[in-house]
Amino acid sequence: MNTDFLSPVESVVLAHNELLPPQAIGNSIQIHSEKEGMPELEGVKMALIGVDEFRNAKVQREDHLKLKEFRRQFYRLFMGNWSQKIVDLGDLRAGDTVEDTYFALSSITADLLKRGVIPVVFGGTQDLTYAMYRAYDTMEQMVNLVTVDSKFDFGEADELISSDSYMNKIIVNPPNNLFNFSNIGYQTYCNAQEEIDLMERLFFDAYRLGEVIHDVTVVEPVFRDADLVSVDLTAVRAADLGSLPHNNPNGFDGREICAIARYAGISDKVTSFGLFECEASSQGAQLAAQLVWYFIEGVNIRKNDYPFASVDNFTKYIVPIDDMDMLFFKSNISGRWWIEVPKNQESHNNSERQTLLPCTQEEYLRATEGVVPERWWKACKKMIV
């Protein structure tokens, strides 16, 4: 792994660890420091990486989260009953250009993915999601991206990449590895109608803020099929972030965003996680730290019951609808549900990587009443594109 891009954690932060109890995270994980050097990655499950890159922010401001403040808040939290090994690789130095930073982050992410290590990236603007996405180019697989954001971040077609337009580059720039894009928490008045229409035309999934707040469990199947998860912390309401300028009065509260992060961690398929647009307030740093804690908690309680791993651990249900049989599978380990999506033999979109789609028990019950799940219909449409 090329460690030239990474700088050690600041000594002032490590000095803070000496005041913490031994059970605190700061005293329980391996940290990249000037004294100890870079941690070994053998047996590591998650690696934290700070990124101090804000040059492509849509609105330039001075109140960005300082990486050392995030670490102070994160290191002081206590470890859960975790068995997975965690390391902090330090900070990615901003390159001479933003493109240099993208290249470095993409290279580091790709290396960690190949080693089976989940990169947990924090800090910086959300356009860094593009760099993490490009890391999957080396994996030769289609990618499912989930963002937690009040906006879709499509921007204008000819706009230079920014924190509000990176999705255009993901969709348009080759190689085109994106299979599905899901947004959680969008607010209608933050998005042009053309963007909402585009989500429909591309058969992408979008969940309005009110829908998720009403029942946060509806997003669990979305994460179960994700590879890359990107969280824009401004999707959290201003009151929970410390009420800094540019924040939204509406959004998720602290408990809801932490539950969402936990769902992301529980997913057996999520292989990278990014937390961006963090705030400089002490309250914002605390919430960001707790959000990462919940993601790590989720990873540590993964059930590893993805259907392709062991079909014997599933109960199969056949639901006849019209002139077809819909096949549902329920895990005997976790009680989670999947629905089979028939492959289209004439498809040329490299979508053969799976035929089982996560769903809910409610969708199974509605199918028994003749209602075809919307997520199944969208998946079938993608198969023939």
Side-chain angles (χ1 to χ4, degrees):
M1 178 176 179
N2 190 341
T3 61
D4 295 338
F5 300 129
L6 297 167
S7 58
V9 174
E10 296 181 62
S11 57
V12 65
V13 178
L14 299 177
H16 175 73
N17 283 349
E18 298 179 5
L19 304 176
L20 300 175
Q23 304 94 332
I25 290 177
N27 289 320
S28 303
I29 67 173
Q30 290 184 293
I31 300 172
H32 180 193
S33 65
E34 289 186 2
K35 181 180 179 181
E36 301 295 335
M38 182 67 67
E40 295 292 332
L41 293 178
E42 183 68 30
V44 170
K45 183 63 176 179
M46 286 164 280
L48 276 67
I49 304 168
V51 185
D52 194 15
E53 176 61 81
F54 298 93
R55 284 174 287 185
N56 272 350
K58 189 71 172 180
V59 178
Q60 293 294 334
R61 55 190 187 183
E62 300 298 327
D63 57 352
H64 298 300
L65 174 71
K66 303 300 184 288
L67 300 181
K68 63 182 179 182
E69 179 60 24
F70 168 86
R71 283 193 171 91
R72 283 198 188 101
Q73 299 296 341
F74 180 69
Y75 286 172
R76 66 195 291 265
L77 300 177
F78 287 101
M79 296 278 287
N81 185 23
W82 300 340
S83 59
Q84 304 289 1
K85 188 176 179 181
I86 309 164
V87 297
D88 188 338
L89 298 182
D91 297 331
L92 174 62
R93 293 186 290 267
D96 292 337
T97 66
V98 179
E99 288 70 23
D100 291 337
T101 306
Y102 290 163
F103 174 80
L105 179 57
S106 181
S107 299
I108 293 171
T109 301
D111 189 281
L112 292 173
L113 291 175
K114 291 176 181 178
R115 295 171 183 263
V117 179
I118 300 173
V120 180
V121 179
F122 60 92
T125 44
Q126 203 178 15
D127 52 288
L128 294 170
T129 304
Y130 176 73
M132 297 181 68
Y133 165 76
R134 287 271 72 106
Y136 287 87
D137 293 349
T138 63
M139 306 298 288
E140 298 182 353
Q141 67 170 65
M142 300 299 288
V143 179
N144 285 342
L145 167 63
V146 176
T147 66
V148 181
D149 199 341
S150 61
K151 297 176 291 185
F152 298 136
D153 292 332
F154 287 127
E156 299 295 333
D158 57 350
E159 183 178 356
L160 294 175
I161 188 169
S162 74
S163 57
D164 281 353
S165 65
Y166 67 91
M167 277 304 305
N168 263 342
K169 307 303 178 185
I170 288 179
I171 293 173
V172 174
N173 288 6
N176 304 115
N177 300 326
L178 183 67
F179 179 70
N180 192 40
F181 167 53
S182 301
N183 169 276
I184 293 173
Y186 84 94
Q187 299 176 40
T188 306
Y189 43 74
C190 293
N191 299 274
Q193 186 59 47
E194 290 81 0
E195 293 180 284
I196 298 174
D197 294 341
L198 180 61
M199 291 288 288
E200 288 291 330
R201 289 200 305 271
L202 296 176
F203 306 111
F204 290 154
D205 302 312
Y207 296 80
R208 291 182 62 177
L209 174 66
E211 179 184 2
V212 182
I213 289 177
H214 176 70
D215 181 11
V216 72
T217 63
V218 301
V219 302
E220 186 274 330
V222 182
F223 288 111
R224 213 186 316 157
D225 203 32
D227 298 291
L228 167 59
V229 175
S230 172
V231 179
D232 184 333
L233 207 60
T234 61
V236 177
R237 63 186 184 183
D240 287 46
L241 289 175
S243 299
L244 290 173
H246 312 296
N247 287 343
N248 196 330
N250 286 309
F252 295 112
D253 64 26
R255 289 171 294 181
E256 291 159 350
I257 197 67
C258 286
I260 288 171
R262 188 172 182 270
Y263 282 141
I266 289 174
S267 168
D268 294 327
K269 290 186 63 183
V270 169
T271 50
S272 57
F273 181 83
L275 176 61
F276 307 108
E277 308 290 347
C278 303
E279 298 292 347
S281 69
S282 176
Q283 186 173 335
Q286 288 182 53
L287 181 58
Q290 291 172 18
L291 191 154
V292 171
W293 189 97
Y294 273 100
F295 175 76
I296 295 173
E297 168 81 359
V299 173
N300 276 272
I301 58 175
R302 288 183 174 183
K303 301 299 183 181
N304 296 314
D305 64 348
Y306 187 69
F308 290 120
S310 56
V311 179
D312 293 340
N313 289 327
F314 284 75
T315 302
K316 181 178 179 180
Y317 296 83
I318 303 175
V319 180
I321 296 182
D322 297 330
D323 58 347
M324 64 177 178
D325 289 337
M326 301 194 76
L327 303 181
F328 288 83
F329 296 86
K330 180 182 179 181
S331 169
N332 299 330
I333 300 174
S334 65
R336 297 186 293 189
W337 288 77
W338 280 262
I339 183 173
E340 184 174 271
V341 179
K343 286 186 180 181
N344 187 301
Q345 300 301 322
E346 299 179 359
S347 174
H348 300 288
N349 65 359
N350 298 322
S351 59
E352 295 185 9
R353 76 183 207 137
Q354 67 178 58
T355 56
L356 293 177
L357 187 71
C359 66
T360 64
Q361 182 177 11
E362 178 64 23
E363 287 172 313
Y364 161 72
L365 294 175
R366 293 188 66 191
T368 62
E369 299 172 354
V371 180
V372 176
E374 183 177 359
R375 74 175 82 238
W376 180 89
W377 178 82
K378 287 185 175 181
C380 288
K381 290 292 185 179
K382 289 193 187 78
M383 293 292 185
I384 61 177
V385 172

